[in-house]
Amino acid sequence: PVMNCKWLPVQTVREDRPQGRLLLKLLRNHISAICMHTNLDAAQGGVNDLLAKALHLADPVPLHVSGIGRLGTLEEPMALPEFIRLVSRALGCGGVRYAGADRPVSRVAVGGGSCGDFEADAIAAGCDTFVTSDLGYHQFLDAAGKGINLVDAGHFPTEDLICGEIVSYLSARFPGLAVAKSASHREVIQYYIEGE
């Protein structure tokens, strides 16, 4: 989001601040910024429903009372390494961080973006695996003891799924409006993998 965001919480419109420069550029060019970030996380058909669908979760339901996150089951349980490959390929990840109990994957919770705060909800719901992003070292360290597999698939890959859907939705409803996905917004984290 342009305002009220973690990356720059200052609420000013000043030329000497990155957020201020961005807001002034939008204002001067008569551009509206519609930031549906959290709304799309919780919405039916939003980020988390698409994430659950991409990972082949059956009958996904909200993970948290806020509507954020989803939990569902795989048609057939699979080994954790096999599931990691599925996640990486389905989301186009440059790399996937994971740790945990090395339990077979069956009941899975997902949370697009930074949903590490919902780990306890995933555990309470009986999930063996939680897929999200921006997890901390200590969450990985403690995962096995908590009996859960943690999969950090990256912030961008877990949320980018919605962009194409928004373009299709708006294009269908406003055929006279040119709608395009940003070509500059991309995964900013790069991975070095030994042997490649």
Side-chain angles (χ1 to χ4, degrees):
V2 178
M3 300 182 78
N4 292 323
C5 54
K6 254 185 182 176
W7 62 272
L8 192 57
V10 180
Q11 300 298 303
T12 61
V13 183
R14 293 174 35 181
E15 287 277 4
D16 63 333
R17 304 278 172 93
Q19 184 184 40
R21 283 192 297 275
L22 176 60
L23 291 170
L24 284 168
K25 186 174 184 177
L26 292 171
L27 290 167
R28 289 176 180 144
N29 290 286
H30 306 285
I31 298 173
S32 297
I34 302 169
C35 301
M36 304 174 288
H37 195 273
T38 305
N39 306 51
L40 278 174
D41 288 337
Q44 187 174 13
V47 171
N48 289 297
D49 281 332
L50 292 177
L51 186 53
K53 182 179 178 181
L55 300 182
H56 310 292
L57 301 184
D59 304 317
V61 296
L63 172 63
H64 189 263
V65 68
S66 66
I68 294 178
R70 296 292 182 269
L71 64 95
T73 54
L74 295 172
E75 189 174 303
E76 296 285 331
M78 63 176 65
L80 181 58
E82 183 183 356
F83 183 71
I84 296 301
R85 281 190 294 280
L86 168 69
V87 170
S88 182
R89 290 176 181 153
L91 304 181
C93 302
V96 176
R97 299 185 315 148
Y98 67 97
D102 199 25
R103 294 172 59 186
V105 179
S106 177
R107 187 164 171 83
V108 180
V110 296
S114 295
C115 285
D117 292 345
F118 297 109
E119 177 188 353
D121 295 283
I123 293 168
C127 294
D128 49 67
T129 306
F130 183 33
V131 180
T132 188
S133 71
D134 303 336
L135 294 169
Y137 176 79
H138 289 95
Q139 286 178 282
F140 285 118
L141 183 65
D142 297 338
K146 293 179 180 179
I148 193 162
N149 301 314
L150 292 180
V151 180
D152 187 326
H155 201 115
F156 181 84
T158 60
E159 292 185 333
D160 188 52
L161 302 156
I162 196 69
C163 295
E165 292 292 318
I166 292 171
V167 169
S168 296
Y169 179 89
L170 292 173
S171 296
R173 281 153 185 82
F174 303 98
L177 182 66
V179 181
K181 179 183 173 188
S182 169
S184 63
H185 189 64
R186 59 179 170 69
E187 172 65 276
V188 296
I189 298 170
Q190 298 179 19
Y191 298 87
Y192 171 80
I193 300 172
E194 188 68 37
E196 287 192 8

